[in-house]
Amino acid sequence: MPERKFGVVVVGVGRAGSVRIRDLRNPHASSAFLNLIGFVSRRELRNIDEVQQISLENALSSPKVEVAYICSESSSHEDYIRQFLNAGKHVLVEYPMTLSWEAAQDLWKLAEQKGKVLHEEHVELLMEEFAFLKKEVVGKDLLKGSLLFTAGPLEEERFGFPAFSGISRLTWLVSLFGELSLISATLEERKEDQHMKMTVCLETENKRPLTWIEEKGPGLKRNRHLSFHFKSGSLENMPNVGVNKNIFLKDQNIFVQKLLGQFSEKELAAEKKRILHCLWLAEEIQKYCYSKK
C-alpha cells in the first residue's frame, strides 16, 4: 500500500469527469495513491454514485484536497487552473489547457513557482491508432500528408476556436513529424446550418507540406481520414488496430508518476515544449483565419 494518498476533487462531471470519477473509485494501481473527496459542479446534483458534491470554495480551501482534475468546458479551464494552483493544489486538466498560448505560459510559470504539477491530458497519444502510426512513420522521409477530422457541431463559446477544440489532431501531427510552421489557414462557416470547415496548411522543418482539415456539422460522423506519402510508400487511412482501452486511466497513471517525482526533468521539459508549441500554433491559426475575415 502507498504511504500516502493525495486527496482529489473532480471539477465538471460531463463525459470526461464521469470517466475520471469511475477510474478513481475502481481499484487500479494509480488510484491507490489517490483519494476521491468529491466533485464540483455548477449543477445541483448532491451526489453521484455516493460521491459527494462540494462547493468550489470548500475544494479550494480544504487542506484535504491536494489535487484538482479540471474536466469542465474548455472556456473555464484557465480560471479553474489559476484558482487551484494559487490555492496550492496540483492540477490535471483535460486538453486544451487554455484557449490562449500566453495564458498557458503564465499558468506553467505559476505551477513552477508553487512547486505543483500541472498536467495536460492527451489521451489521443495513448490510443492504439497513434501507437500504430508512430511505428509506421519512424525513420521514413515524408513527402506530403493530410489529416481530415469530421464530427457533429461544437459550440465555439464553450470549447474554443476549432484549432483549440481540435488540438488533439494537431498534437498527433507534431508528435509524428516534429515542430510545424503555419503557411495559411481558412475558416468557412455557415452558422445558420451549424456547419464549419477549417483548412490549415502546415510545413515540417524539412519543408514538407501537411494539410489539416476540421469539418463539423449536423449529420457528420465522428471520423478521421489520413493520408501520408513517404519516399518509401504511402499510408492511406487507418486499419482497424483494436479497441482503445482505459485511455483516461493510462493518463492518470502518467499524472501519478509526476506526483511521485518519477519523470525526469528532460521528459517534463520536452512535454511542456510540445504542448506550448501546439497551443502557439492553434493561436496562430486562429489569428490567421480572423485576419482573412
Side-chain angles (χ1 to χ4, degrees), residues 93-120:
V93 60
E94 311 298 348
Y95 72 75
M97 178 191 299
T98 61
L99 300 177
S100 140
W101 172 66
E102 199 172 310
Q105 286 188 303
D106 287 347
L107 292 172
W108 232 301
K109 281 178 192 161
L110 180 59
E112 285 161 5
Q113 284 165 8
K114 297 283 183 181
K116 298 298 167 187
V117 172
L118 174 55
H119 171 81
E120 185 185 52

Side-chain angles (χ1 to χ4, degrees), residues 11-13 42 69-77 80 94 159:
V11 180
V13 287
R42 287 175 307 190
Y69 282 16
I70 312 297
C71 310
S72 54
E73 53 205 32
S74 308
S75 56
S76 65
H77 287 180
Y80 279 134
E94 311 298 348
F159 298 100

Side-chain angles (χ1 to χ4, degrees), residues 124 126-135 172 176 224 226 238-244:
E124 77 279 11
L126 305 173
M127 290 177 168
E128 297 296 330
E129 294 96 326
F130 181 74
F132 169 81
L133 281 179
K134 196 80 176 160
K135 284 179 192 165
W172 262 26
L176 291 170
R224 216 184 271 112
L226 55 86
M238 184 78 71
N240 188 348
V241 291
V243 180
N244 292 307

Side-chain angles (χ1 to χ4, degrees), residues 1-274:
M1 289 294 290
E3 287 180 20
R4 61 163 299 187
K5 289 191 173 197
F6 294 85
V8 182
V9 291
V10 175
V11 180
V13 287
R15 188 182 68 88
S18 300
V19 172
R20 294 295 190 181
I21 287 172
R22 182 199 70 196
D23 286 344
L24 283 160
R25 296 187 76 218
N26 286 340
H28 303 296
S30 59
S31 303
F33 291 90
L34 304 164
N35 174 34
L36 178 58
I37 287 169
F39 69 89
V40 173
S41 176
R42 287 175 307 190
R43 293 174 288 162
E44 276 293 327
L45 300 170
R46 298 199 177 178
N47 61 68
I48 297 173
D49 296 335
E50 300 171 14
V51 181
Q52 294 298 309
Q53 182 168 5
I54 61 174
S55 70
L56 176 62
E57 293 70 25
N58 282 352
L60 289 165
S61 62
S62 171
K64 290 180 183 176
V65 175
E66 298 165 274
V67 170
Y69 282 16
I70 312 297
C71 310
S72 54
E73 53 205 32
S74 308
S75 56
S76 65
H77 287 180
E78 180 186 342
D79 187 43
Y80 279 134
I81 296 168
R82 199 176 299 282
Q83 289 189 70
F84 278 101
L85 286 176
N86 276 321
K89 319 293 186 187
H90 301 284
V91 173
L92 175 153
V93 60
E94 311 298 348
Y95 72 75
M97 178 191 299
T98 61
L99 300 177
S100 140
W101 172 66
E102 199 172 310
Q105 286 188 303
D106 287 347
L107 292 172
W108 232 301
K109 281 178 192 161
L110 180 59
E112 285 161 5
Q113 284 165 8
K114 297 283 183 181
K116 298 298 167 187
V117 172
L118 174 55
H119 171 81
E120 185 185 52
E121 162 268 307
H122 277 286
V123 292
E124 77 279 11
L125 299 180
L126 305 173
M127 290 177 168
E128 297 296 330
E129 294 96 326
F130 181 74
F132 169 81
L133 281 179
K134 196 80 176 160
K135 284 179 192 165
E136 280 293 307
V137 308
V138 70
K140 289 183 182 173
D141 192 353
L142 180 75
L143 297 175
K144 64 177 182 176
S146 65
L147 175 57
L148 161 66
F149 180 78
T150 60
L154 205 60
E155 290 177 55
E156 191 173 321
E157 295 75 27
R158 296 170 63 203
F159 298 100
F161 185 78
F164 283 99
S165 59
I167 206 162
S168 63
R169 266 73 70 190
L170 194 53
T171 303
W172 262 26
L173 293 174
V174 168
S175 300
L176 291 170
F177 301 112
E179 293 198 349
L180 303 171
S181 303
L182 175 63
I183 304 303
S184 66
T186 57
L187 180 67
E188 305 162 51
E189 288 183 292
R190 295 197 310 273
K191 290 199 171 169
E192 66 279 7
D193 299 333
Q194 291 184 286
H195 181 271
M196 81 86 202
K197 184 178 182 182
M198 180 185 74
T199 305
V200 182
C201 297
L202 300 158
E203 201 174 65
T204 67
E205 289 178 334
N206 292 334
K207 307 290 182 191
R208 304 301 194 194
L210 283 168
T211 305
W212 169 35
I213 299 169
E214 292 273 311
E215 187 169 8
K216 290 177 182 161
L220 285 176
K221 287 187 177 172
R222 192 177 175 84
N223 223 326
R224 216 184 271 112
H225 306 272
L226 55 86
S227 171
F228 297 134
H229 296 271
F230 306 98
K231 279 186 178 175
S232 57
S234 298
L235 177 63
E236 297 280 352
N237 287 319
M238 184 78 71
N240 188 348
V241 291
V243 180
N244 292 307
K245 287 184 184 172
N246 298 324
I247 50 176
F248 282 92
L249 180 59
K250 288 173 185 173
D251 178 70
Q252 178 177 279
N253 295 344
I254 292 167
F255 177 63
V256 167
Q257 285 178 293
K258 289 179 182 178
L259 288 178
L260 299 174
Q262 292 171 358
F263 266 68
S264 71
E265 290 297 320
K266 188 179 176 184
E267 287 172 307
L268 292 171
E271 183 188 57
K272 176 183 169 183
K273 187 173 183 235
R274 187 204 74 229

